[in-house]
Amino acid sequence: MKPFESFLREYLEEYIAYCQKLGYEGRNIRQRLSYLDRAVQSQQAQWESLTPSFFLTLRAHLAVAPRTANAIFTTLRGFFSYLQRIEYWEKNPLVDIPHLPELRFIPFVFSPEEIDLLLRTIQKGIRKAQRHFLNDLAEYIAILLLARCGLRISEPTRLLLTHVRVQEATIYIEKTKFKKDRLIPVPHSVIKEIENYLAVRSSLLEDTIPYLLISGKQKKLTCRRLYYPFNRAVKEIGLDQPKKVLANTTFGRPTPHSLRHAFAVNTLKRIKEQGKSPQHALPILAAYMGHRHYQDTAIYLKVLDAQQRRQLLHCAQSRSAL
């Protein structure tokens, strides 16, 4: 990423280093701080220029959604709070600037039956030619882990062979978001699929690649490669829907991350159907999914299930047609 160029560059770098020591991901912070750096540099601003009006003008020229603008300003607010703590700045100029109103976001949620159909469709599309078979099978296993274990899209592609413990039916997920490690139990049906993949891989290759899932030419499987089989299958089973903005609500389209949403929603729905408390299960589900706080897991629960989402979308479409 392009280095900072304004007179703030030294302080910006110090703040990023400070945040990284606390366990935050430096890349996102750097990207958000770059908006301030570019504005200061282009206007040749100095300390005395950094007033609330400067930041209101900056926000007015951001060509991003309200949610993104709020995330940028949260980071900028944190930066000036840091300058206050090191006694380099007297008053945070962003402290009285309120958040912009955000659109409500309803993610796409697959029902359990739709997930089963999606996985069968992807599995059916695995090409049998030797030069494609192992690659397609690896993509299927990655999407299977998203659907059955609620992994983030980057997590299956980063798994090492040593991270899969077949006898214990567990997977060790190392240093992903928030630099957290976790050891999770995996359904036996998924472990059997992984065992099958490993047997195929062993029969076709004599390799030393440490990663579990590999693509063509014996390279590590990348997240980008998962979109093609996913999107193809979604279209084939008739769930290909564009993002829709109706009134103050955005209804998301199906993406691989939707499988993580669906895992959380469907897991808590099953718990409720068993007569148990979903609220009590949230901390356990949060640990399983790699969230720092169970409130982060609760964010996924904007709808009860796929059926309720469809009803909300239908209602919003009916109102917009009036």
Side-chain angles (χ1 to χ4, degrees):
M1 187 172 287
K2 186 178 179 182
F4 298 126
E5 296 179 348
S6 73
F7 79 94
L8 290 172
R9 57 185 176 274
E10 177 184 344
Y11 303 98
L12 295 171
E13 292 290 357
E14 287 180 3
Y15 179 63
I16 292 172
Y18 166 76
C19 291
Q20 288 177 317
K21 287 181 181 178
L22 296 178
Y24 292 94
E25 176 62 52
R27 182 175 179 83
N28 288 339
I29 296 172
R30 179 177 293 276
Q31 186 176 28
R32 293 168 185 170
L33 291 175
S34 68
Y35 287 95
L36 171 61
D37 182 70
R38 288 197 296 269
V40 169
Q41 180 68 3
S42 65
Q43 299 179 38
Q44 294 297 300
Q46 297 300 317
W47 288 113
E48 61 273 12
S49 307
L50 304 181
T51 62
S53 62
F54 173 90
F55 289 98
L56 287 172
T57 301
L58 168 61
R59 188 170 70 179
H61 288 87
L62 289 176
V64 297
R67 183 179 182 183
T68 304
N70 289 338
I72 292 169
F73 267 61
T74 296
T75 299
L76 299 185
R77 195 174 290 113
F79 169 63
F80 282 94
S81 293
Y82 167 76
L83 293 181
Q84 282 183 292
R85 286 195 295 275
I86 63 174
E87 299 183 350
Y88 202 87
W89 193 262
E90 185 175 348
K91 184 180 178 181
N92 192 327
L94 294 97
V95 70
D96 294 323
I97 297 179
H99 274 46
L100 293 171
E102 298 182 13
L103 291 174
R104 184 186 181 203
F105 181 75
I106 304 295
F108 186 90
V109 177
F110 290 95
S111 70
E113 296 76 18
E114 289 168 343
I115 291 174
D116 291 343
L117 180 57
L118 177 80
L119 292 173
R120 287 198 301 270
T121 303
I122 295 173
Q123 190 178 44
K124 185 178 66 176
I126 295 175
R127 292 168 290 184
K128 302 302 187 289
Q130 183 170 330
R131 65 193 182 105
H132 298 302
F133 185 68
L134 186 61
N135 175 81
D136 291 2
L137 184 58
E139 293 171 355
Y140 164 72
I141 294 295
I143 295 173
L144 179 72
L145 288 168
L146 301 184
R148 300 303 191 203
C149 303
L151 300 192
R152 300 179 180 95
I153 190 170
S154 64
E155 291 176 341
T157 63
R158 298 179 71 250
L159 288 174
L160 302 179
L161 287 166
T162 54
H163 289 163
V164 179
R165 304 175 183 182
V166 172
Q167 298 301 320
E168 301 173 12
T170 60
I171 287 178
Y172 178 65
I173 302 172
E174 185 178 34
K175 292 184 176 62
T176 56
K177 194 173 183 180
F178 308 121
K179 307 299 182 184
K180 291 188 68 174
D181 298 351
R182 65 192 194 275
L183 181 68
I184 64 170
V186 178
H188 285 284
S189 60
V190 176
I191 285 294
K192 287 182 179 179
E193 297 269 25
I194 293 175
E195 283 187 293
N196 175 62
Y197 164 77
L198 290 173
V200 171
R201 171 175 163 158
S202 177
S203 66
L204 294 178
L205 297 177
E206 293 183 6
D207 63 83
T208 57
I209 297 176
Y211 290 99
L212 172 67
L213 302 175
I214 58 176
S215 63
K217 299 182 179 179
Q218 301 187 34
K219 293 182 179 179
K220 170 179 171 289
L221 185 68
T222 63
C223 300
R224 183 173 57 86
R225 295 191 64 93
L226 303 185
Y227 284 88
Y228 176 73
F230 175 86
N231 291 334
R232 182 191 61 207
V234 164
K235 185 174 182 179
E236 185 173 335
I237 64 178
L239 293 178
D240 186 22
Q241 304 172 12
K243 180 178 72 174
K244 295 180 181 179
V245 180
L246 301 169
N248 66 339
T249 304
T250 299
F251 290 86
R253 65 182 181 86
T255 68
H257 192 71
S258 303
L259 294 171
R260 181 169 164 87
H261 280 279
F263 175 83
V265 170
N266 294 331
T267 297
L268 291 176
K269 183 182 178 183
R270 284 197 301 271
I271 290 170
K272 184 178 180 180
E273 289 172 346
Q274 293 168 4
K276 301 176 183 178
S277 170
Q279 188 68 29
H280 293 164
L282 271 177
I284 299 172
L285 182 59
Y288 187 93
M289 298 182 72
H291 288 143
R292 288 185 298 178
H293 310 291
Y294 75 86
Q295 293 90 339
D296 298 330
T297 311
I299 292 174
Y300 284 84
L301 310 180
K302 297 180 180 180
V303 291
L304 295 176
D305 55 22
Q307 178 62 28
Q308 189 200 32
R309 183 191 182 277
R310 282 193 289 268
Q311 291 171 349
L312 287 172
L313 177 57
H314 177 72
C315 181
Q317 288 174 324
S318 300
R319 289 180 179 178
S320 65
L322 295 177

